[in-house]
Amino acid sequence: MRVCVVGSGGREHALAHVLGRSCDVAVTPGNPGIPGATSAPAAEIDADLYVIGPEAPLVEGLADELRAAGRLVFGPGADGAQLEGSKAWMKELLVAAGVPTAGHGSFTEPDGAIAFLHTMGDLFVIKTDGLAAGKGVLVTEHRDEAEDAVRAYLSGEAFGDAGRRVVIEEGLTGPELSVLAVCDGRRAVPLAPAQDYKRIGEGDVGPNTGGMGAYSPVPVAGADVVDEVMDRAVLPTLAELQNRGIDYRGVLYAGLMLTPQGLRVLEYNVRFGDPEAQVVLPRLRSDLAGLLAAAAAGSLEETPEYGDDAAVAVVCASEGYPASPRTGDVITGIEGANHEEGVTVFCAGMGVGPVTAGGRVLTVTGQGSNLSSARERAYAGVAHIDWPGRYVRQDIALSAVEGEAAP
Ligand code: AMP
Ligand code: GLY
């Protein structure tokens, strides 16, 4: 089978790497670190299956265009991609489907938004309605800061048009979890759960990023938790999409919080997570291409198979990420990292040289028999890699490893 992967990040590199176990893979546009990268647009690439990585082309309707041309596509159409393209639409659908989620209001005018803030508890969450590369969420205990953010979002100053509508949510607390389900329009199967690290700073401080690291499996998320996520979130959401005439074939990624009151969906993404894909996909034992092709064809029958190994992914970012990443620095050590046992480097914001060309530059994934060994391997890989100002969180998977070591 020949597969075309659309996108240029670490997630697409991981997709291409794992699909490459059984297929020929082309990646468009890819980046200089991804084998099979080509500048030809997807529609000009002859493939048996098209896998669309990022949210933006999904929201813009690339899956619809390719399907209209008779291609087999893994990724929702623009209708289903609204789950990620509009948080207000997503929240309305969750409420209609009876899926547990944070209480919220959605606003286009500051007065109503600020009045709503005054009715809330002591943790304020402000989100852009539209896409903001994972950076459009502010969580704060200070109402003043929340009010300032509401004004900056709604005026367009902070996130352009993406922020001209805001969703304000009650603040929840508890461990977070990502469950990615592969959907064929009617049925869904979960992949192994992962935990993502969204904040830039160690100890989960500072601004939100696209994700600074991830690990899988997640000790707090056993089979019972995954079953609950499927029964209370993914399957009712898929049924509600169907009620609305939306044939959702792609990944439904549930970003969840395990609160003292039970699980809550914080968000849906309509694609594989980045860097979750870099831990969840390499762990897969069964054939990824067959799974995605079956989902794309609406005939999902198999369940993905995992062993009891573990993976930890550590993102290497540019100085200044996420606000203003510096680019153009020469990267060294990728080959040395790839030679470490159990280590794979996935390239993202990288240009020819290789030089840094974005905020998140590389993801280093370590795989091992448990989280502790996977983590050691990931950081052993990271130790090879360098450029001026390279930034790495040192605490990825640390608490999970300490939990694993506890009696
Ligand atoms: P989202 O893009 O909606 O997943 O939000 C990004 C991050 O903001 C999440 O991973 C959480 O850490 C945090 N967050 C989002 N919604 C809430 C909420 N209602 N309460 C507390 N934290 C939240
Ligand atoms: N790592 C979070 C995301 O992909 O949105």
Side-chain angles (χ1 to χ4, degrees):
M1 182 164 27
R2 184 165 160 80
V3 184
C4 170
V5 174
V6 177
S8 64
R11 160 186 51 215
E12 286 74 29
H13 193 171
L15 276 163
H17 181 80
V18 178
L19 287 164
R21 291 175 185 167
S22 64
C23 300
D24 281 340
V25 184
V27 184
T28 174
N31 70 57
I34 307 183
T38 165
S39 57
E44 288 174 20
I45 294 171
D46 186 25
D48 306 301
L49 172 68
Y50 295 76
V51 179
I52 302 174
E55 60 278 18
L58 291 165
V59 170
E60 287 159 14
L62 179 61
D64 303 302
E65 279 170 41
L66 292 168
R67 283 194 182 104
R71 316 289 178 93
L72 185 63
V73 184
F74 182 78
D79 52 3
Q82 290 177 87
L83 276 181
E84 185 164 359
S86 168
K87 285 199 192 274
W89 190 86
M90 179 266 287
K91 293 288 284 191
E92 185 272 316
L93 187 135
L94 289 194
V95 173
V99 174
T101 186
H104 79 289
S106 115
F107 303 92
T108 52
E109 297 298 334
D111 290 353
I114 286 165
F116 186 71
L117 286 175
H118 281 263
T119 67
M120 296 180 69
D122 48 13
L123 190 60
F124 307 96
V125 184
I126 318 293
K127 301 183 176 186
T128 59
D129 178 49
L131 296 179
K135 298 168 205 158
V137 177
L138 174 75
V139 182
T140 177
E141 291 166 7
H142 306 288
R143 193 185 288 127
D144 293 355
E145 199 185 346
E147 290 188 10
D148 290 347
V150 161
R151 289 196 187 87
Y153 281 34
L154 289 175
S155 69
E157 185 192 317
F159 293 101
D161 286 345
R164 289 190 192 275
R165 178 186 295 276
V166 294
V167 170
I168 301 179
E169 287 183 10
E170 64 172 321
L172 304 175
T173 53
E176 287 187 49
L177 180 68
S178 305
V179 174
L180 283 66
V182 171
C183 306
D184 78 348
R186 290 173 299 142
R187 285 159 295 207
V189 290
L191 298 172
Q195 168 106 52
D196 178 26
Y197 287 76
K198 289 221 167 64
R199 301 294 188 103
I200 188 73
E202 281 152 29
D204 296 325
V205 298
N208 269 313
T209 70
M212 294 303 297
Y215 64 85
S216 173
V218 183
V220 294
D224 51 335
V225 174
V226 176
D227 286 348
E228 193 185 350
V229 173
M230 294 303 288
D231 291 345
R232 298 193 61 203
V234 171
L235 294 171
T237 301
L238 204 52
E240 181 61 25
L241 287 164
Q242 254 189 296
N243 283 342
R244 297 178 185 207
I246 298 175
D247 186 20
Y248 192 98
R249 301 183 187 193
V251 171
L252 185 57
Y253 159 151
L256 303 145
M257 198 171 258
L258 306 177
T259 77
Q261 290 75 38
L263 76 84
R264 299 283 184 274
V265 173
L266 296 182
E267 67 164 345
Y268 275 126
N269 295 319
V270 298
R271 47 166 178 88
F272 291 99
D274 184 343
E276 288 93 328
Q278 291 93 306
V279 290
V280 167
L281 298 177
R283 291 189 56 224
L284 198 58
R285 291 253 174 104
S286 49
D287 181 41
L288 178 62
L291 179 74
L292 303 188
S299 56
L300 196 55
E301 267 157 25
E302 51 207 304
T303 311
E305 278 170 37
Y306 282 90
D308 53 10
D309 63 330
V312 172
V314 178
V315 169
C316 303
S318 298
E319 185 173 324
Y321 178 72
S324 49
R326 190 175 78 199
T327 57
D329 289 304
V330 173
I331 304 167
T332 55
I334 294 177
E335 209 181 309
N338 271 322
H339 276 116
E340 287 279 342
E341 191 179 354
V343 172
T344 315
V345 179
F346 297 115
C347 301
M350 196 174 102
V352 177
V355 295
T356 60
R360 294 191 297 169
V361 179
L362 306 168
T363 311
V364 181
T365 294
Q367 288 180 263
S369 56
N370 56 22
L371 285 168
S372 166
S373 130
R375 181 172 193 275
E376 269 172 35
R377 288 176 168 182
Y379 281 103
V382 166
H384 287 267
I385 288 171
D386 202 18
W387 64 80
R390 184 208 71 166
Y391 174 74
V392 170
R393 264 185 76 161
Q394 299 296 333
D395 61 347
I396 305 300
L398 185 59
S399 57
V401 165
E402 284 167 354
E404 196 174 63

